[in-house]
Amino acid sequence: RGSLQWESAAPAQYCLHCCWHIGVIIMFVARSIAADHKDLIHDVSYDFHGRRMATCSSDQSVKVWDKSENGEWHCTASWKTHSGSVWRVTWAHPEFGQVLASCSFDRTAAVWEEIVGESNDKQRGLSHWIKRTTLVDSRTSVTDVKFAPKHMGLMLTTCSADGVVRIYEAPDVMNLSQWSLQHEISCKLSCSCISWNPSSSRAHPAMFAVGSDDSNVTYGGKVQIYEYNENTRKYAKAETLMTVTDAVHDIAFAPNLGRSFHVLAIATKDVRIFKLVPMRKESTSTGPTKFEVQIVAQFDNHNSQVWRVSWNITSTLLASSGDDGCVRLWKANYMDNWKCTGILKGDGSPLTGSSGQPTAMSTVVGSSVQTSQNALNGMSAGRYFFPPLDPPRAGTRYGHLLPPSSLIEHCDAEPIQPQQQALPHRLSSRALLPLPEAEGQ
Amino acid sequence: MEEVDVEPAVTNIPAASSGTHLGFAWGPGDILVYETLYKCHSFITSRLEFPGTGSGDIHEVRKDEDIYSPILRKLFNESHHIFVGLQTIREDLPSKNKKPQFVSISKNYRSVIRACMEELQQVLQKWQCNMETRYVSILLAIELIWNLCEVLFIDAAPAGSLLLHLLDWVRLHKADVDEKAREVLQSESPAEHRDYWDVVGAAYVLQGRLEEARQMLVKQATLQPAARKMYKQMDTLLSKMPFYNPGGTQTLTEFDVKWRHWHEEVDRCLQDNSFASNKHLELICKILVGDEDTLLEHKDLLSTWYHFLVTRLLFCHPTVKPTELHYYAQSCLTMFLDSRSVPEPLDSILLAAFEFDIHQVIKDCSIALNNWWFVAHLTDLLDHCKLLQSHNLHFGSNLREFLLLEYASGLFTHHSLWQLAVDYFDHCPEFGRVYLELQIERVPLDTERKALKVLRICEQRQMSEQVRSICKIMAMRALRNNRLGSALSWSIRAKDAAFATLISERFLQDYCARGTFSDLDLIDNLGPAMLLSDRLTFLGKYREFHKLYGEKRFREASKLLLSLMTAKIAPRSFWMTLLTDALPLLEQKEVSHHIVRYAVYGLLLSNIKKTSKYSYLRSCNQRIFGFFSGKNNIKDVLII
């Protein structure tokens, strides 16, 4: 008691291990948006500034949403893009204008450009997107589509189930109908995902990683890294991550924070974070950079397959989605120890999700469709007719902030019809919806 | 303190809980979550095959909720000024001179918290809403912790002064005492008020406010003349209690001797039952002697364990050393809390502070408060006081920078607070700049004004890549909306030659179609920017020619036209226009005849090109040759 000297009680002596983790991420649902796709949503993508988003679905359409001043989302365009499920949708950098790319089971990728329409349309909150090109080189489902970093110009990369990565370029950014196939890289294994290294060209040669969802572990590493060689003007394989032998579903390079190494997140049977440290190159060698591959973290909290990984802007948070039905957020503390700091989890609420949604036309229509769908499948439909038991709590922000029904209706890009008419129309169109993959094959 | 593994926070999404997946997309300030179903691409088909999956709703999930509270905006704004001021304190001053500055900065931070809290309370009273009550309690806790950290770490008061500071701390945070006292004093007969003894006992004596206690006792004494002697004795005890005067000449040892003397006297009074006939005075006497059981019997008056701690120190260990604090703190916490009740996060944080475990304080605060504001600013201040020096780590940035980056990144998601974040990033030497680069290019450029604001920030920091990108984005947007002038000026700012060429071409096309130029202001004032691309130079010079011609300065106009022709920067498609412009000049007497050669040269060039306007060419031909024949100067033509 009291025998400690002042010096020894100074904060210096604290075990660093005690600071394992700092910060827990508490999140809340700010609002829910009725996307009104007629089938599963496969991808949602923010534009560069976070003011627009694009959604794509098995209903073969893409929708574009704009955020208003007060933060509400309005669907400003919705159109049929492919003749099969649309897997991914992605935005080009705004330096190239308002440009989207999509890829589909129908073996194609497509580039879309928004054209500034008549003032009439603007008033109605609608925009026009026109197809600039269809890229038809793949003979199988196109599984991922990504624009290359903007300093490389307007370049689009696709990968497909036939194991080929294709790099296209639009030489004239004012004429997006002309794309030339610049590179065709055979990866030998069915490809599921690609990611460009966002590092600037000054520091490193252009580099991308491609993942394969081939589940045969005997085929070896499922993640390959390719690097551009200035001399041969071709992409050459720099590295295969031999330790990743299970199917890979998603892959994401972290933004480079001025570090000398690259960080890559991989979604496979678990979440993995790798560090790729370039090894010193001999001045005479012209081959691709060799890397020292280090595993930084590996988490099996999702229990089984992990399907998506993605970094936030500053790569301080990694999000992953897996078979446990959760989105998990991973964060490193200042000692580079990674840990799960947040979980987003379904609360098991009814399918017509957004509880507290005002009983507007869209809700009625939406739930009716749902109900008939479930009735067809012999499921009890009763529960969907009752409002959720919990009224929206005071202080929760999503209850009353849904877009008004009229705006949801706009998504169909057709005149708003009175409810009586809308209902049978919607139902019939749904019933007639062809199985998308039948066409795609 | 033992490491507690913190469970990740779970956020419920209104979606199915099993059988489906949650897809997501990162945004700048939030994450979008939706129900979906992932399968290997060759198998997945459609919701029709998996009935009942995927509600089709997209949920916007946000963190940093506090950022969006309008009340806290003031806190963010004002603390930003203090933060910036703190960063400019000169490094080279001897630390002795800096300490008072640090203490005053700490006090400034606290007064901002207080102001914010008071404003919040007013709002709450006015609107009777309980939406923001959460913030009041958070702010209260923050201020309480900050104040203690100030006393223990920043001011680092030595034995003697330490207790005085702790007394102030307790007094400040048990403000209900003053309210109660006012109520008693304002009543008709204060001495008969039912709270009278609570005020004298709890409020004043327990907090060591003995002067005030004496004044209150006088009121009671006058009512009880019979007990005057007893009151007089209590008054003497109270008035004689020694307090350490850090500025005085008395040493701590001298004070200690004096205090022990007084303590013995109080104890003697208790032993010989001086106050036995008045239970209130006896209670006060027991408090003065520091009787633990008595204190614990009046938990309701103390209300917290740390009040108990300070009172106990006051009457038992007034010369407590900083190093001994943790022992008393721990025992007071244990004594005060029932065996049943568990310490709350605030208790653990304060206890960690009494243990001088700065790291634990910061860590527990970041967990308990879900708010980076407090930990970032406090850690920054402690770092400036060189208290965190030994925590610089091998990996990446240190704790201070880590927390500041987190806080500033949160601010960046807000549509106006992001501007504050810039200064925070500026003061993070390791990763501040790259964070700023990544964040600032994502700021939505809703208007030209906002774009200019963002641009200025980037330019001040020589962030050339971001400057270029912002200008390119704005140029492209303007072009898409057919605002050629704006597009041109943005591409000049971006130094984007290719785009400037493209837009100049558009200008020239427009001129050919309409015969007039738009955005004259811009084109007339291009200056050296004109040199960005050949086409832009041509546009600028051509417009200059128009101006000269309009001002009837034909000699200069023709010279300029000539140079435009000789420099060969005119697009071929524009030669016809140039020739047409040359025609009236040829008829001017003072015009140099060189222009004639070039006119004819251009004519031949155009003929070779076989433009569609053949008949028009012929008419030009005739006019030019007519002109030559009239002047009898056919030689000139033959020379070519």
Side-chain angles (χ1 to χ4, degrees):
Chain A
R1 166 193 161 185
S3 60
L4 280 172
Q5 291 305 299
W6 171 239
E7 286 74 22
S8 63
Q13 58 160 210
Y14 286 95
C15 165
L16 293 178
H17 181 255
C18 295
C19 331
W20 203 104
H21 166 75
I22 287 184
V24 172
I25 295 153
I26 297 176
M27 306 184 97
F28 66 101
V29 178
R31 58 170 60 80
S32 297
I33 307 126
D36 212 27
H37 273 290
K38 296 186 182 70
D39 211 325
L40 277 180
I41 298 172
H42 291 300
D43 200 13
V44 172
S45 167
Y46 259 115
D47 82 331
F48 187 72
H49 290 122
R51 302 294 296 178
R52 314 190 88 182
M53 65 163 167
T55 56
C56 66
S57 155
S58 265
D59 70 5
Q60 311 183 350
S61 74
V62 164
K63 287 173 195 266
V64 172
W65 305 74
D66 283 73
K67 204 176 201 171
S68 66
E69 282 287 306
N70 57 12
E72 280 174 28
W73 288 100
H74 303 287
C75 180
T76 53
S78 170
W79 71 99
K80 185 176 183 292
T81 47
H82 289 273
S83 52
S85 289
V86 188
W87 299 135
R88 300 259 200 169
V89 61
T90 188
W91 295 84
H93 193 277
E95 280 182 20
F96 304 108
Q98 295 296 306
V99 180
L100 278 174
S102 58
C103 68
S104 163
F105 189 81
D106 73 0
R107 299 179 286 188
T108 68
V111 177
W112 311 87
E113 189 176 21
E114 185 185 35
I115 41 174
V116 180
E118 306 295 311
S119 55
N120 231 356
D121 283 338
K122 261 189 186 164
Q123 276 164 11
R124 280 163 56 207
L126 298 178
S127 66
H128 281 292
W129 289 79
I130 55 170
K131 187 192 271 189
R132 289 303 188 193
T133 194
T134 306
L135 306 169
V136 294
D137 302 279
S138 173
R139 277 161 294 161
T140 53
S141 173
V142 181
T143 49
D144 200 356
V145 62
K146 296 275 164 68
F147 284 100
K150 69 166 192 297
H151 62 77
M152 296 168 61
L154 187 52
M155 292 187 123
L156 188 66
T157 328
T158 63
C159 72
S160 41
D162 61 8
V164 181
V165 171
R166 294 180 176 85
I167 302 177
Y168 300 87
E169 184 175 16
D172 178 4
V173 295
M174 296 312 292
N175 179 8
L176 299 189
S177 52
Q178 304 227 320
W179 289 81
S180 57
L181 179 57
Q182 294 283 326
H183 303 278
E184 222 170 0
I185 301 139
S186 174
C187 303
K188 313 273 190 317
L189 292 168
S190 158
C191 301
S192 56
C193 49
I194 34 176
S195 173
W196 281 95
N197 186 342
S199 298
S200 81
S201 57
R202 280 170 307 221
H204 316 276
M207 180 205 277
F208 67 87
V210 54
S212 166
D213 59 356
D214 194 308
S215 53
N216 191 334
V217 293
T218 58
Y219 290 169
K222 296 291 160 37
V223 174
Q224 301 174 18
I225 316 277
Y226 288 86
E227 197 183 66
Y228 187 67
N229 186 313
E230 287 289 346
N231 299 320
T232 60
R233 300 195 176 178
K234 281 200 166 80
Y235 283 88
K237 195 194 287 183
E239 197 66 56
T240 303
L241 302 191
M242 297 310 293
T243 54
V244 186
T245 53
D246 291 277
V248 168
H249 307 293
D250 201 10
I251 196 162
F253 269 109
N256 188 298
L257 298 174
R259 300 174 293 216
S260 59
F261 54 86
H262 313 289
V263 176
L264 185 66
I266 293 169
T268 171
K269 63 176 181 182
D270 46 26
V271 180
R272 288 188 210 178
I273 303 171
F274 284 97
K275 204 188 251 189
L276 305 174
V277 188
M279 297 205 274
R280 190 181 291 274
K281 223 176 178 177
E282 282 171 41
S283 53
T284 51
S285 113
T286 51
T289 319
K290 286 289 159 204
F291 294 98
E292 189 192 329
V293 181
Q294 303 169 358
I295 188 148
V296 177
Q298 183 167 8
F299 304 107
D300 54 7
N301 305 44
H302 283 296
N303 301 328
S304 182
Q305 297 297 309
V306 184
W307 296 94
R308 284 284 193 274
V309 281
S310 173
W311 300 93
N312 69 346
I313 291 174
T314 48
S315 72
T316 47
L317 281 170
L318 176 74
S320 64
S321 169
D323 272 347
D324 59 352
C326 298
V327 173
R328 288 174 185 270
L329 302 174
W330 310 92
K331 184 168 178 57
N333 71 357
Y334 61 98
M335 294 169 68
D336 207 18
N337 283 319
W338 288 84
K339 199 179 170 183
C340 181
T341 59
I343 300 174
L344 310 181
K345 196 176 184 179
D347 62 1
S349 64
L351 299 179
T352 40
S354 47
S355 56
Q357 188 166 3
T359 317
M361 189 164 68
S362 64
T363 318
V364 176
V365 174
S367 58
S368 302
V369 171
Q370 201 72 62
T371 305
S372 65
Q373 182 64 45
N374 288 308
L376 284 173
N377 293 291
M379 282 171 64
S380 159
R383 60 182 170 135
Y384 302 116
F385 286 116
F386 295 104
L389 286 174
D390 294 329
R393 281 169 293 139
T396 62
R397 299 177 184 209
Y398 58 88
H400 50 286
L401 286 174
L402 287 153
S405 58
S406 57
L407 294 162
I408 298 166
E409 282 299 303
H410 267 253
C411 304
D412 284 340
E414 58 195 35
I416 300 165
Q417 297 178 19
Q419 188 186 339
Q420 292 304 315
Q421 289 170 356
L423 194 62
H425 169 79
R426 288 287 209 87
L427 283 171
S428 64
S429 76
R430 181 170 179 82
L432 290 172
L433 196 70
L435 276 177
E437 275 58 50
E439 266 182 43
Q441 270 152 9
Chain B
M1 185 174 266
E2 205 153 297
E3 167 66 11
V4 187
D5 218 6
V6 187
E7 282 301 307
V10 177
T11 310
N12 282 320
I13 309 293
S17 56
S18 62
T20 62
H21 296 118
L22 285 181
F24 65 89
W26 279 112
D30 50 24
I31 186 167
L32 297 175
V33 179
Y34 53 95
E35 251 179 86
T36 185
L37 208 55
Y38 293 120
K39 288 265 166 160
C40 282
H41 284 105
S42 35
F43 300 120
I44 194 167
T45 48
S46 142
R47 186 158 79 195
L48 299 174
E49 289 185 19
F50 301 93
T53 52
S55 70
D57 282 357
I58 298 171
H59 310 284
E60 195 182 303
V61 184
R62 253 193 226 157
K63 59 185 178 107
D64 299 313
E65 183 184 9
D66 296 343
I67 298 286
Y68 295 91
S69 158
I71 303 278
L72 293 187
R73 190 155 322 157
K74 199 169 178 179
L75 178 73
F76 299 139
N77 271 315
E78 305 219 338
S79 53
H80 164 255
H81 292 301
I82 304 172
F83 172 82
V84 172
L86 173 59
Q87 311 309 312
T88 56
I89 288 190
R90 283 173 52 199
E91 277 292 316
D92 52 348
L93 284 176
S95 54
K96 205 176 141 193
N97 300 2
K98 278 193 277 190
K99 191 166 138 184
Q101 286 194 56
F102 290 141
V103 173
S104 106
I105 282 169
S106 176
K107 282 185 174 149
N108 288 344
Y109 275 127
R110 285 200 292 118
S111 71
V112 171
I113 303 174
R114 288 233 147 221
C116 185
M117 202 154 59
E118 273 159 27
E119 191 174 319
L120 202 54
Q121 269 162 341
Q122 278 171 10
V123 171
L124 292 180
Q125 276 165 7
K126 194 171 168 191
W127 301 105
Q128 299 286 311
C129 61
N130 45 13
M131 284 282 278
E132 317 266 0
T133 40
R134 202 171 65 83
Y135 292 128
V136 179
S137 51
I138 289 179
L139 289 173
L140 270 169
I142 284 178
E143 214 260 322
L144 179 77
I145 300 165
W146 191 303
N147 195 351
L148 184 62
C149 291
E150 181 185 304
V151 169
L152 297 177
F153 307 142
I154 301 166
D155 211 358
S161 320
L162 177 64
L163 178 69
L164 301 176
H165 281 110
L166 288 176
L167 272 175
D168 287 338
W169 173 63
V170 158
R171 285 171 192 163
L172 191 62
H173 292 94
K174 203 158 156 35
D176 61 326
V177 163
D178 289 304
E179 233 165 84
K180 227 174 182 179
R182 208 175 307 129
E183 205 180 288
V184 170
L185 287 169
Q186 281 167 0
S187 66
E188 277 178 31
S189 171
E192 284 163 1
H193 195 280
R194 69 186 155 85
D195 286 335
Y196 171 84
W197 285 108
D198 277 358
V199 169
V200 179
Y204 293 145
V205 180
L206 288 173
Q207 293 190 355
R209 294 160 71 171
L210 304 185
E211 270 312 306
E212 284 150 294
R214 283 171 62 205
Q215 283 168 21
M216 284 292 256
L217 280 177
V218 170
K219 295 184 197 300
Q220 194 69 274
T222 50
L223 289 185
Q224 300 177 34
R228 176 176 273 177
K229 195 181 153 220
M230 197 160 59
Y231 278 96
K232 180 80 191 148
Q233 191 178 358
M234 176 53 78
D235 189 63
T236 316
L237 279 185
L238 290 174
S239 65
K240 276 168 71 182
M241 178 171 177
F243 281 87
Y244 180 66
N245 177 12
T249 50
Q250 187 182 42
T251 64
L252 195 63
T253 327
E254 284 165 359
F255 163 73
D256 196 39
V257 171
K258 210 172 156 195
W259 184 83
R260 274 174 206 287
H261 242 79
W262 172 81
H263 198 253
E264 276 160 26
E265 196 182 330
V266 179
D267 202 33
R268 222 166 18 249
C269 290
L270 207 57
Q271 298 303 324
D272 53 23
N273 290 324
S274 304
F275 304 112
S277 58
N278 186 323
K279 64 171 175 149
H280 298 300
L281 290 182
E282 184 161 46
L283 171 65
I284 291 175
C285 191
K286 278 182 172 170
I287 292 173
L288 290 180
V289 86
D291 185 71
E292 272 166 14
D293 294 333
T294 312
L295 290 175
L296 284 171
E297 275 165 29
H298 294 85
K299 275 184 191 174
D300 54 324
L301 298 179
L302 289 163
S303 75
T304 58
W305 65 272
Y306 46 88
H307 192 340
F308 171 52
L309 166 69
V310 175
T311 305
R312 194 177 150 208
L313 291 174
L314 173 66
F315 297 115
C316 300
H317 313 279
T319 57
V320 64
K321 292 195 197 98
T323 44
E324 298 163 344
L325 266 181
H326 72 100
Y327 162 76
Y328 296 114
Q330 182 69 61
S331 73
C332 283
L333 180 63
T334 320
M335 277 193 268
F336 197 82
L337 294 186
D338 298 326
S339 52
R340 283 161 293 150
S341 52
V342 188
E344 285 178 25
L346 180 62
D347 300 325
S348 324
I349 293 167
L350 294 175
L351 190 62
F354 284 122
E355 288 169 343
F356 286 85
D357 189 341
I358 296 182
H359 254 78
Q360 194 67 33
V361 173
I362 292 167
K363 189 190 134 188
D364 285 356
C365 285
S366 38
I367 293 167
L369 297 168
N370 184 33
N371 172 317
W372 296 107
W373 180 88
F374 173 64
V375 277
H377 287 93
L378 181 66
T379 308
D380 173 56
L381 181 57
L382 295 176
D383 189 62
H384 274 90
C385 300
K386 308 274 181 230
L387 289 165
L388 293 171
Q389 237 175 356
S390 42
H391 288 281
N392 275 327
L393 295 159
H394 54 88
F395 170 78
S397 59
N398 57 29
L399 180 61
R400 168 191 174 269
E401 180 157 326
F402 177 84
L403 295 171
L404 285 177
L405 290 172
E406 287 290 341
Y407 172 65
S409 299
L411 287 181
F412 236 106
T413 64
H414 190 273
H415 62 86
S416 66
L417 292 174
W418 65 269
Q419 295 168 75
L420 304 180
V422 174
D423 286 318
Y424 287 91
F425 283 139
D426 280 348
H427 291 102
C428 293
E430 185 108 29
F431 288 119
R433 176 160 175 118
V434 59
Y435 267 62
L436 181 60
E437 285 174 355
L438 288 169
Q439 297 269 16
I440 201 154
E441 59 182 14
R442 304 275 178 164
V443 172
L445 309 168
D446 304 320
T447 58
E448 295 238 334
R449 225 180 109 199
K450 190 157 177 199
L452 287 170
K453 190 184 268 176
V454 177
L455 202 61
R456 197 164 53 243
I457 291 169
C458 295
E459 280 171 347
Q460 282 162 356
R461 287 160 185 79
Q462 280 98 42
M463 289 159 53
S464 53
E465 173 50 32
Q466 281 67 28
V467 168
R468 201 194 56 80
S469 186
I470 289 164
C471 296
K472 279 193 87 160
I473 292 170
M474 295 306 287
M476 178 58 104
R477 187 186 296 173
L479 185 66
R480 275 164 42 82
N481 289 301
N482 254 324
R483 291 183 285 115
L484 289 185
S486 170
L488 183 58
S489 63
W490 279 113
S491 53
I492 288 169
R493 270 192 107 142
K495 299 194 175 59
D496 184 344
F499 215 67
T501 302
L502 196 135
I503 297 162
S504 308
E505 204 111 319
R506 281 279 191 90
F507 266 110
L508 295 172
Q509 279 169 18
D510 275 13
Y511 172 74
C512 290
R514 284 194 244 132
T516 52
F517 280 111
S518 55
D519 300 285
L520 286 178
D521 272 4
L522 175 71
I523 302 171
D524 285 349
N525 297 300
L526 281 172
M530 203 187 278
L531 300 172
L532 181 61
S533 90
D534 281 358
R535 206 50 46 89
L536 183 60
T537 317
F538 177 74
L539 173 67
K541 288 290 171 195
Y542 183 64
R543 164 62 196 154
E544 215 172 297
F545 160 73
H546 266 244
K547 252 169 84 180
L548 292 171
Y549 190 85
E551 292 161 9
K552 294 202 180 349
R553 291 152 70 183
F554 296 119
R555 183 177 284 276
E556 285 144 295
S558 66
K559 247 186 193 160
L560 183 58
L561 190 62
L562 189 64
S563 70
L564 280 180
M565 287 171 169
T566 50
K568 295 195 178 73
I569 53 169
R572 282 195 160 189
S573 59
F574 210 72
W575 266 93
M576 271 312 299
T577 317
L578 287 183
L579 284 174
T580 320
D581 290 329
L583 284 177
L585 284 175
L586 290 173
E587 282 147 20
Q588 298 293 332
K589 278 187 184 148
E590 68 248 62
V591 169
S592 153
H593 276 205
H594 286 296
I595 197 162
V596 178
R597 286 186 202 167
Y598 273 93
V600 177
Y601 169 68
L603 203 67
L604 291 172
L605 203 76
S606 306
N607 268 327
I608 293 160
K609 286 274 289 178
K610 293 265 184 245
T611 61
S612 57
K613 295 175 182 168
Y614 188 68
S615 55
Y616 174 67
L617 266 176
R618 272 182 57 179
S619 77
C620 288
N621 261 337
Q622 281 159 10
R623 278 182 72 186
I624 292 175
F625 282 100
F627 168 74
F628 286 133
S629 52
K631 292 276 169 188
N632 235 346
N633 212 351
I634 199 82
K635 261 192 225 161
D636 277 338
V637 183
L638 292 174
I639 291 166
I640 301 171

